[in-house]
Amino acid sequence: MNDPKVTVLMPAYNAEKYIGEAIASVLAQSFTDFELLIVNDGSTDETKNVVRSFSDPRIVLISQDNKGVASALNLGLSLARAPFIARFDADDICFTNRLKVQYDFITTYPEYSVVGSAADYVDADGHFIFTHHPQGHLNEEIQQLKYSVCPFIHSSVFYKKEVVINNGGYNEHAYTYEDHFLWVNILKNEKACNLSQALIKVRLNPESITIDEKWHSRKFRLIKYSTLKNRSITEAEGQELYQVSEKHSSPKIKEGAYYALCSKKFLVNNYQPEKARLNVVRAISLHPLRFDNYLLYMASFFPERVIGWLHKINFNKF
């Protein structure tokens, strides 16, 4: 395939548990004119061997030393052969019509540069939790979002490669929010939308580099939102983000954040208080000194209408 129409760009780091299912979901697409470009970001597990177990010629595997997601994405962008990029993560799952729906939209309406979608969120075992709809769907709604709101689910976006490359690609200093930083810098000049149908499944799991916002340190959040507001970030700020994040992102913290996030979603987005309690009890067992977990546990006994009211006034403090 010398000139595929779409490059599915998938960075991967120690993703052996999930990447096989992710690859299979891409290969099963109804739209077939694509390359699946996988950038192995210095994995130390069996990620590379799982990828090599597939014989489809559309798969292109590239490896680099572990430099982070943004670096892997920039390398992939430089090597992608298609004019359109479909972002996808190594632990997520594509619905069969994902590429066709987004390709048809962006070629029918070429004035759009970025097209995202809703997504079904599942737990580490693939069990449905809730359907997430972005806060903005129409371009006008997206343009009006505050800088603090990420307008897209990153693994759902489909965009014009040249637009991202011309804007410098992903900023490698914006550790864990390289996508959000990209959007605040390019959307002021580009038209974008989110399709209302879910086109992917996003897998919440404790191995992910991204954890619940409330489990990050205050210092991390201050730097993140200051750089997003200013649309700029220095190398020194990037180094501080990395150091602070690594200090507070141990496997135990990630596991606790995972269970707490699942609990929140089972209360706010898909009211199932028994499942919410089951998950928050696991979070408490890992981190018994976190007061917010106990608030979440108490909230799981409230009726659904009260949960909805709390969420409206500021449920995120849980």
Side-chain angles (χ1 to χ4, degrees):
M1 295 181 64
N2 294 321
D3 297 300
K5 292 179 179 177
V6 175
T7 294
V8 180
L9 180 53
M10 178 193 292
Y13 175 70
N14 288 353
E16 65 176 3
K17 288 184 181 178
Y18 311 115
I19 194 169
E21 188 173 4
I23 292 172
S25 73
V26 175
L27 299 182
Q29 291 294 296
S30 58
F31 179 96
T32 60
D33 193 356
F34 65 84
E35 65 172 348
L36 171 54
L37 181 56
I38 302 172
V39 183
N40 176 37
D41 185 36
S43 297
T44 57
D45 64 358
E46 294 298 309
T47 294
K48 188 182 295 186
N49 289 334
V50 174
V51 176
R52 287 174 172 168
S53 70
F54 291 85
S55 60
D56 196 298
R58 293 172 296 181
I59 298 175
V60 179
L61 175 63
I62 302 165
S63 292
Q64 67 171 22
D65 294 336
N66 181 232
K67 298 179 182 178
V69 174
S71 173
L73 289 172
N74 286 333
L75 176 59
L77 284 172
S78 71
L79 298 173
R81 291 176 291 173
F84 298 108
I85 301 294
R87 267 288 289 115
F88 197 50
D89 287 333
D91 51 358
D92 294 341
I93 302 164
C94 274
F95 289 126
T96 307
N97 64 338
R98 184 255 169 111
L99 294 183
K100 177 175 171 48
V101 169
Q102 291 181 303
Y103 180 82
D104 286 350
F105 183 93
I106 207 167
T107 52
T108 302
Y109 304 101
E111 65 271 25
Y112 285 86
S113 296
V114 186
V115 181
S117 78
D120 288 345
Y121 275 65
V122 299
D123 66 15
D125 298 318
H127 300 132
F128 176 79
I129 302 176
F130 75 109
T131 299
H132 174 74
H133 291 278
Q135 291 194 31
H137 286 86
L138 301 176
N139 180 62
E140 292 76 11
E141 295 170 338
I142 291 174
Q143 298 295 344
Q144 292 173 6
L145 292 175
K146 291 181 62 178
Y147 68 87
S148 57
V149 177
C150 187
F152 304 108
I153 302 163
H154 196 193
S155 57
S156 80
V157 294
F158 189 106
Y159 57 73
K160 295 176 179 176
K161 180 178 65 175
E162 65 176 359
V163 168
V164 173
I165 289 179
N166 290 343
N167 280 274
Y170 291 88
N171 192 301
E172 297 180 22
H173 301 316
Y175 184 66
T176 75
Y177 62 98
E178 62 283 332
D179 58 319
H180 194 168
F181 193 84
L182 175 67
W183 310 136
V184 299
N185 277 284
I186 72 171
L187 288 185
K188 59 184 181 293
N189 298 316
E190 304 295 337
K191 195 169 184 179
C193 72
N194 277 304
L195 305 179
S196 59
Q197 66 189 107
L199 295 177
I200 65 168
K201 293 181 183 180
V202 173
R203 190 191 305 269
L204 300 179
N205 68 85
E207 289 89 8
S208 174
I209 191 172
T210 303
I211 66 173
D212 188 359
E213 185 78 12
K214 297 299 181 181
W215 285 66
H216 275 301
S217 68
R218 183 172 181 272
K219 182 66 173 177
F220 183 95
R221 296 196 301 270
L222 285 173
I223 297 173
K224 174 181 176 179
Y225 289 107
S226 173
T227 56
L228 286 170
K229 184 177 182 180
N230 296 328
R231 294 193 176 98
S232 66
I233 185 170
T234 65
E235 182 178 355
E237 288 171 323
Q239 291 176 346
E240 190 169 7
L241 280 169
Y242 179 79
Q243 292 168 358
V244 170
S245 182
E246 288 299 294
K247 183 178 178 181
H248 295 89
S249 296
S250 67
K252 184 178 178 181
I253 289 177
K254 287 186 175 182
E255 188 175 3
Y258 162 74
Y259 286 122
L261 182 59
C262 288
S263 179
K264 290 180 190 178
K265 299 308 178 184
F266 275 124
L267 275 183
V268 179
N269 303 97
N270 182 3
Y271 185 70
Q272 297 190 55
E274 296 83 6
K275 289 185 177 180
R277 279 193 290 276
L278 177 65
N279 280 280
V280 77
V281 165
R282 291 172 176 169
I284 290 171
S285 68
L286 290 165
H287 300 277
L289 299 181
R290 283 194 66 104
F291 182 64
D292 52 352
N293 284 335
Y294 295 97
L295 291 177
L296 188 57
Y297 181 81
M298 288 189 294
S300 71
F301 290 94
F302 297 163
E304 186 174 4
R305 65 180 184 278
V306 176
I307 295 296
W309 176 74
L310 287 171
H311 180 58
K312 285 181 179 179
I313 60 172
N314 192 9
F315 190 85
N316 285 333
K317 66 176 57 178
F318 292 138

